[in-house]
Amino acid sequence: MPHTSEAKKHFFMHKALLQAKKALKQGEVPVGVVIVNQQGIIIAQSYNRIEHNKCQTAHAEIRAIQKACKKLSTWRLNGCWIYVTLEPCLMCLGLISLSRFKGIIFGAPSTLFGSGLADSKNLPHYTKELIIEGGIKAKESTDLLQEFFKKVRRKGKGTQ
């Protein structure tokens, strides 16, 4: 499997961080995603567009999954891996599971909105087949998030 080496994990997470930086430049919460097929090729990438779209369904994961499904002409993403800079929320975890991904690699944990991936015994039964690994480039992911929220606080905006 092409995703198991540490070098590959860091390479793909770096690509996800580049997507997160695009979100940051556009005033979005900096979350980026890449989706990699069984051959180790990036087939989709995206970043958050919630503020732009004015809708929570514009999460980076959802947008990337839509692109991957369109590219492959199927909703079944069997054998694919999703790399995301922030632990997915419950909505995104549900979509990842239903889309039949092989695994999730994420950067920073999210204690506020994350789906609890660090405690896999509490995950819904349908996620048990997923391979889950967190902490890849966690510091870089966290640094981007902190930069964003410092800017938000300086502007006096609240995020809900």
Side-chain angles (χ1 to χ4, degrees):
M1 183 167 54
H3 305 81
T4 54
S5 80
E6 287 302 308
K8 288 279 189 182
K9 290 175 191 174
H10 284 266
F11 173 79
F12 292 126
M13 189 59 75
H14 172 74
K15 295 294 188 181
L17 282 162
L18 293 176
Q19 291 296 307
K21 288 176 183 178
K22 289 181 183 181
L24 181 65
K25 286 180 185 175
Q26 296 179 22
E28 299 279 351
V29 175
V31 177
V33 171
V34 296
I35 296 175
V36 180
N37 69 10
Q38 293 173 348
Q39 292 74 37
I41 298 167
I42 295 173
I43 58 168
Q45 49 192 348
S46 194
Y47 53 91
N48 267 355
R49 296 285 285 168
I50 295 165
E51 296 300 326
H52 178 265
N53 290 7
K54 310 241 182 297
C55 183
Q56 281 291 327
T57 61
H59 282 208
E61 299 94 328
I62 293 172
R63 296 180 68 233
I65 290 169
Q66 289 170 334
K67 290 178 181 183
C69 291
K70 184 174 182 178
K71 182 171 186 129
L72 299 178
S73 297
T74 182
W75 61 268
R76 293 174 184 88
L77 300 177
N78 296 326
C80 291
W81 286 77
I82 187 164
Y83 287 77
V84 57
T85 58
L86 182 64
E87 177 185 356
C89 69
L90 285 171
M91 174 178 65
C92 292
L93 177 62
L95 181 58
I96 290 165
S97 297
L98 291 170
S99 299
R100 300 183 181 174
F101 276 87
K102 176 82 173 168
I104 302 169
I105 307 286
F106 69 93
S110 175
T111 55
L112 190 57
F113 294 111
S115 51
L117 294 180
D119 190 7
S120 61
K121 71 179 186 297
N122 290 327
L123 292 177
H125 71 279
Y126 60 82
T127 61
K128 300 297 185 201
E129 299 296 317
L130 281 173
I131 298 168
I132 300 167
E133 183 176 349
I136 303 295
K137 292 194 173 276
K139 182 182 180 331
E140 296 92 327
S141 299
T142 300
D143 289 349
L144 281 176
L145 290 161
Q146 288 175 342
E147 181 181 343
F148 171 79
F149 286 109
K150 281 179 188 173
K151 286 180 185 176
V152 168
R153 282 191 285 278
R154 276 196 301 267
K155 290 180 182 178
K157 289 183 180 177
T159 58
Q160 277 76 6

